[in-house]
């Protein structure tokens, strides 16, 4: 995972709790200090699992809940720093339709080492969409945080459901826009 993901995690902890708390969690995880992560370098996914596990121990929250909250935060942080990747996209469903072919491919130009999921559109109508998410990291809960943050970004209320598919590392998201 990119160093910028770790830095964003630390940033979230600093903002929600304190600078010292972020340092304590990273120290408890045994992954070095938050400042040691370089934004465009890649670090092992196991380091992220260690940070999550330290947070689970510290907060008592599940890794799904922590990943969802982090995904929500990370989406907004990414839009703050790289908002141009969304330019010309005017709705949540449009962003999702072009996530792989445009949004994440722009991300790959910014960060050649980015390790991005495969997201395929299974169906789309004016107000609903089904997506297939596939990633060896199984970060479906992080994706759900991204989805909720993106919905809020476009002031769109959604109902959504996640189903684990029979193929490994694969999940289906069904989204319906309930008001626009
Ligand atoms: C709703 C829209 C989006 C969804 C559902 C989504 C989903 C995800 C997920 C689930 C990951 C984790 C990697 C994995 O699962 O294998 C990821 C990584 C990432 N995404 Fe997206 N994303 C969205 C929009 C964006 C946008 C708008 C940006 C940039 C402005 C962005 C930049 C990134 C970056 C930098 C990573 C980290 C890659 C790495 O650590 O190697 N994403 N995305």
């Amino acid at each position: 995972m990119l160093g910028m993901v770790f830095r964003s995690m630390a940033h979230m902890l600093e903002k929600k709790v304190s600078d010292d708390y972020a340092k304590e969690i990273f120290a408890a995880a045994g992954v070095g200090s938050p400042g040691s992560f370089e934004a465009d370098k890649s670090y092992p996914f196991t380091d992220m699992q260690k940070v999550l596990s330290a947070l689970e121990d510290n907060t008592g929250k599940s890794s799904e809940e922590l990943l969802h909250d982090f995904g929500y935060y990370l989406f907004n942080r990414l839009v703050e720093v790289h908002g141009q990747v969304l330019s010309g996209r005017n709705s949540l469903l449009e962003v999702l339709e072009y996530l792989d072919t445009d949004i994440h491919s722009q991300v790959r130009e910014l960060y050649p080492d980015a390790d991005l999921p495969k997201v395929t559109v299974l169906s789309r109508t004016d107000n609903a969409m089904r997506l297939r998410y596939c990633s060896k990291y199984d970060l479906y809960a992080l994706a759900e945080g991204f989805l909720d943050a993106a919905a809020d970004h476009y002031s769109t209320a959604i109902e959504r459901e996640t189903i684990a598919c029979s193929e490994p590392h694969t999940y289906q998201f069904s989204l319906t826009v309930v008001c626009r």
Side-chain angles (χ1 to χ4, degrees):
M1 301 219 91
L2 290 173
M4 74 96 58
V5 173
F6 289 88
R7 290 177 82 113
S8 299
M9 171 67 91
H11 203 254
M12 179 180 83
L13 301 177
E14 285 160 9
K15 280 189 91 173
K16 285 195 171 176
V17 189
S18 69
D19 289 13
D20 283 347
Y21 183 71
K23 283 186 195 131
E24 268 168 41
I25 292 294
F26 274 58
V31 297
S33 72
S36 64
F37 288 87
E38 288 181 44
D40 54 359
K41 273 201 179 165
S42 269
Y43 297 85
F45 179 59
T46 46
D47 283 359
M48 179 51 70
Q49 289 172 311
K50 288 177 190 168
V51 175
L52 275 172
S53 158
L55 271 176
E56 269 181 84
D57 291 347
N58 189 271
T59 62
K61 290 185 179 176
S62 68
S63 66
E64 277 84 7
E65 196 181 342
L66 292 163
L67 277 170
H68 174 275
D69 291 356
F70 178 49
Y72 192 97
Y73 183 86
L74 182 59
F75 177 87
N76 288 303
R77 180 98 184 124
L78 285 164
V79 172
E80 242 173 66
V81 184
H82 300 301
Q84 78 281 3
V85 308
L86 293 180
S87 66
R89 302 288 169 211
N90 299 313
S91 73
L92 169 69
L93 296 191
E94 196 187 338
V95 166
L96 296 175
E97 181 167 356
Y98 297 102
L99 181 59
D100 257 27
T101 51
D102 179 26
I103 315 287
H104 273 169
S105 67
Q106 289 185 61
V107 169
R108 198 177 295 291
E109 281 172 29
L110 292 167
Y111 299 105
D113 287 342
D115 206 353
L116 296 159
K118 177 102 197 95
V119 181
T120 324
V121 178
L122 297 175
S123 66
R124 181 185 168 174
T125 65
D126 279 352
N127 68 342
M129 185 173 237
R130 280 187 310 125
L131 295 169
R132 176 195 290 257
Y133 160 86
C134 185
S135 161
K136 61 180 184 259
Y137 300 135
D138 290 280
L139 288 170
Y140 64 89
L142 187 86
E144 290 172 336
F146 269 98
L147 292 173
D148 289 344
D152 285 351
H153 181 79
Y154 289 100
S155 306
T156 302
I158 57 167
E159 281 171 1
R160 59 167 177 77
E161 191 185 9
T162 305
I163 300 167
C165 300
S166 49
E167 304 96 289
H169 313 300
T170 308
Y171 301 81
Q172 190 176 304
F173 301 123
S174 301
L175 285 93
T176 307
V177 173
V178 290
C179 80
R180 274 185 274 189

